[in-house]
Amino acid sequence: MFILYAIVIGLVVGLLLGGQPSRLAELKLRYAWVCVLGLAVQLVLFSDAVTERIGDLGVPIYVVSTVLVAGAVAANYRIPGMAVVAVGAFSNLITIVANGGYMPTTTDALAASGFSEKTVYSNSALLADPKLPWLTDIFAMPRWIPAHNVFSIGDVLIGLGVVIVIVAAMRRASVTL
C-alpha cells in the first residue's frame, strides 16, 4: 500500500508544478504487464486465506514475483525516476533473498504500526538474526494512516522514484524510451 501514497503524492506534486495528468497516458512503460502481474500476485499471496493454503510455496512465489517486478522496472531505467525505483526494488529483492525469502521486520516496527507477528507467510517476518538489517522493514507508518504498514529503505526509494516518474511525465510533452 506504500506505493499508493507515492502515486497520490506524485499526482499532487505534478499538479502543483503545473503538470498535466493527461500526459501520463504518453508514458511508455516496457513490460508494464509484468509489474502489474507481479504486484497482483503479491497482493493475493499475502491475503490470509491464500497464505494458509499455500504453505511453503509462499517463499518461492514471493521471490519470483519480486524478481519479475524488479526486472520489469529495470527495463525502464531510461524513464526519469525509474532508476530510483529500480534501486529500491533491487534493495528489497537482495534483502528478501538474503533472508531466505522473507523481508525481516522488528518488533518495534510492528508495534508502532499496531501489528503483531503473523503465524502465516507474510511480506514481513520477525527473524532472529536478519541479514542486511538496515535494508529490512524497520520503519512504520503511523496507525492513523489508512492501510498503514511497516516499510524499508527500499520501499522509500520505490515511493520516491514513483513520485519522480509521475511528476516528470506530467511535466513533459512526451516520455518514451
Side-chain angles (χ1 to χ4, degrees):
M1 292 303 187
F2 196 81
I3 198 165
L4 294 178
Y5 288 105
I7 292 169
V8 171
I9 291 168
L11 290 169
V12 169
V13 171
L15 287 170
L16 291 174
L17 294 176
Q20 297 177 356
S22 62
R23 290 185 178 148
L24 290 170
E26 299 170 12
L27 187 61
K28 307 283 191 254
L29 294 175
R30 295 171 57 200
Y31 308 109
W33 65 272
V34 174
C35 288
V36 171
L37 176 65
L39 293 173
V41 165
Q42 290 181 13
L43 280 174
V44 171
L45 176 64
F46 298 126
S47 67
D48 289 343
V50 172
T51 56
E52 290 172 357
R53 288 180 175 79
I54 62 169
D56 292 339
L57 289 175
V59 170
I61 292 170
Y62 184 36
V63 171
V64 168
S65 67
T66 304
V67 167
L68 289 173
V69 171
V73 166
N76 291 285
Y77 73 94
R78 291 185 184 145
I79 295 173
M82 202 58 85
V84 178
V85 176
V87 170
F90 280 102
S91 169
N92 285 350
L93 176 61
I94 289 165
T95 305
I96 291 163
V97 170
N99 287 286
Y102 296 89
M103 175 55 92
T105 190
T106 65
T107 53
D108 289 342
L110 286 174
S113 270
F115 297 114
S116 59
E117 184 178 17
K118 287 192 168 199
T119 57
V120 294
Y121 188 67
S122 174
N123 60 331
S124 296
L126 289 172
L127 299 180
D129 186 27
K131 309 296 185 266
L132 308 171
W134 59 93
L135 295 177
T136 64
D137 283 348
I138 56 176
F139 305 106
M141 296 171 76
R143 295 179 194 195
W144 55 267
I145 294 177
H148 60 277
N149 205 348
V150 294
F151 61 96
S152 67
I153 290 289
D155 296 328
V156 171
L157 290 171
I158 291 167
L160 176 62
V162 166
V163 169
I164 294 168
V165 168
I166 291 170
V167 171
M170 288 175 65
R171 298 199 65 222
R172 293 171 64 113
S174 177
V175 178
T176 61
L177 292 174

Short mmCIF file of all heavy atoms in Angstrom, two decimals, residues 32-33 40 51 57 61 64 68 76 83 85 146 148-149 156 159 163:
data_model
loop_
_atom_site.label_atom_id
_atom_site.label_comp_id
_atom_site.label_asym_id
_atom_site.label_seq_id
_atom_site.Cartn_x
_atom_site.Cartn_y
_atom_site.Cartn_z
N ALA A 32 5.03 -3.36 -18.62
CA ALA A 32 4.13 -2.89 -17.55
C ALA A 32 3.26 -4.03 -17.04
O ALA A 32 2.98 -4.13 -15.84
CB ALA A 32 3.26 -1.74 -18.06
N TRP A 33 2.87 -4.93 -17.93
CA TRP A 33 2.01 -6.05 -17.54
C TRP A 33 2.73 -6.96 -16.55
O TRP A 33 2.10 -7.55 -15.68
CB TRP A 33 1.54 -6.84 -18.77
CG TRP A 33 2.65 -7.53 -19.52
CD1 TRP A 33 3.43 -7.01 -20.53
CD2 TRP A 33 3.12 -8.86 -19.30
NE1 TRP A 33 4.36 -7.94 -20.94
CE2 TRP A 33 4.18 -9.09 -20.21
CE3 TRP A 33 2.75 -9.87 -18.43
CZ2 TRP A 33 4.89 -10.29 -20.27
CZ3 TRP A 33 3.45 -11.08 -18.49
CH2 TRP A 33 4.50 -11.27 -19.41
N ALA A 40 0.13 -7.96 -8.36
CA ALA A 40 -1.14 -8.64 -8.10
C ALA A 40 -0.91 -9.98 -7.39
O ALA A 40 -1.63 -10.32 -6.45
CB ALA A 40 -1.91 -8.85 -9.40
N THR A 51 -2.42 -17.49 2.07
CA THR A 51 -1.20 -17.92 2.76
C THR A 51 -1.41 -19.18 3.59
O THR A 51 -0.51 -20.00 3.71
CB THR A 51 -0.64 -16.80 3.66
OG1 THR A 51 -1.65 -16.39 4.58
CG2 THR A 51 -0.17 -15.63 2.86
N LEU A 57 5.05 -22.86 -0.30
CA LEU A 57 5.16 -22.29 -1.64
C LEU A 57 5.20 -20.77 -1.62
O LEU A 57 5.57 -20.14 -2.61
CB LEU A 57 3.99 -22.75 -2.52
CG LEU A 57 3.99 -24.21 -2.94
CD1 LEU A 57 2.72 -24.54 -3.70
CD2 LEU A 57 5.21 -24.49 -3.80
N ILE A 61 7.17 -18.20 -4.48
CA ILE A 61 6.23 -17.33 -5.21
C ILE A 61 6.59 -15.87 -4.96
O ILE A 61 6.64 -15.05 -5.90
CB ILE A 61 4.77 -17.63 -4.82
CG1 ILE A 61 4.36 -19.01 -5.31
CG2 ILE A 61 3.84 -16.55 -5.37
CD1 ILE A 61 3.02 -19.48 -4.76
N VAL A 64 10.00 -15.04 -6.80
CA VAL A 64 9.83 -14.96 -8.25
C VAL A 64 9.05 -13.70 -8.63
O VAL A 64 9.42 -12.99 -9.58
CB VAL A 64 9.15 -16.23 -8.81
CG1 VAL A 64 8.70 -16.04 -10.25
CG2 VAL A 64 10.10 -17.42 -8.70
N LEU A 68 10.47 -10.65 -10.97
CA LEU A 68 9.77 -10.18 -12.16
C LEU A 68 9.53 -8.67 -12.12
O LEU A 68 9.78 -7.96 -13.11
CB LEU A 68 8.44 -10.92 -12.32
CG LEU A 68 8.54 -12.39 -12.73
CD1 LEU A 68 7.15 -13.05 -12.67
CD2 LEU A 68 9.14 -12.53 -14.11
N ASN A 76 13.02 -0.28 -17.70
CA ASN A 76 12.53 1.07 -17.97
C ASN A 76 13.44 2.14 -17.36
O ASN A 76 13.00 3.27 -17.14
CB ASN A 76 11.11 1.22 -17.42
CG ASN A 76 10.11 0.41 -18.20
OD1 ASN A 76 9.74 0.77 -19.30
ND2 ASN A 76 9.69 -0.72 -17.62
N ALA A 83 15.09 4.68 -12.42
CA ALA A 83 16.32 4.13 -11.84
C ALA A 83 16.24 4.12 -10.32
O ALA A 83 16.72 3.19 -9.66
CB ALA A 83 17.54 4.92 -12.31
N VAL A 85 13.41 3.83 -8.62
CA VAL A 85 12.50 2.71 -8.33
C VAL A 85 13.28 1.40 -8.40
O VAL A 85 13.13 0.53 -7.53
CB VAL A 85 11.31 2.68 -9.31
CG1 VAL A 85 10.43 1.46 -9.05
CG2 VAL A 85 10.48 3.94 -9.21
N PRO A 146 -4.53 5.29 6.89
CA PRO A 146 -5.20 4.11 6.32
C PRO A 146 -4.20 3.20 5.60
O PRO A 146 -3.26 3.67 4.97
CB PRO A 146 -6.19 4.71 5.31
CG PRO A 146 -6.40 6.12 5.78
CD PRO A 146 -5.11 6.55 6.41
N HIS A 148 -1.90 1.43 6.86
CA HIS A 148 -0.55 1.58 7.42
C HIS A 148 0.17 0.23 7.43
O HIS A 148 -0.47 -0.83 7.42
CB HIS A 148 -0.61 2.18 8.82
CG HIS A 148 -1.40 1.35 9.79
ND1 HIS A 148 -2.76 1.43 9.86
CD2 HIS A 148 -1.02 0.43 10.70
CE1 HIS A 148 -3.20 0.59 10.78
NE2 HIS A 148 -2.15 -0.02 11.30
N ASN A 149 1.50 0.31 7.44
CA ASN A 149 2.30 -0.91 7.40
C ASN A 149 3.72 -0.57 7.80
O ASN A 149 4.07 0.58 8.01
CB ASN A 149 2.26 -1.52 5.99
CG ASN A 149 2.53 -3.01 5.99
OD1 ASN A 149 2.95 -3.58 6.99
ND2 ASN A 149 2.26 -3.64 4.87
N VAL A 156 11.01 3.18 0.48
CA VAL A 156 11.10 4.63 0.40
C VAL A 156 11.64 5.03 -0.98
O VAL A 156 11.12 5.94 -1.63
CB VAL A 156 11.98 5.21 1.52
CG1 VAL A 156 12.25 6.70 1.30
CG2 VAL A 156 11.34 4.97 2.88
N GLY A 159 8.98 4.47 -3.58
CA GLY A 159 8.00 5.55 -3.49
C GLY A 159 8.52 6.85 -4.07
O GLY A 159 7.83 7.53 -4.85
N VAL A 163 7.13 8.89 -7.42
CA VAL A 163 6.78 10.32 -7.42
C VAL A 163 7.52 11.03 -8.56
O VAL A 163 6.92 11.80 -9.32
CB VAL A 163 7.10 10.98 -6.05
CG1 VAL A 163 6.99 12.50 -6.13
CG2 VAL A 163 6.19 10.43 -4.97
#
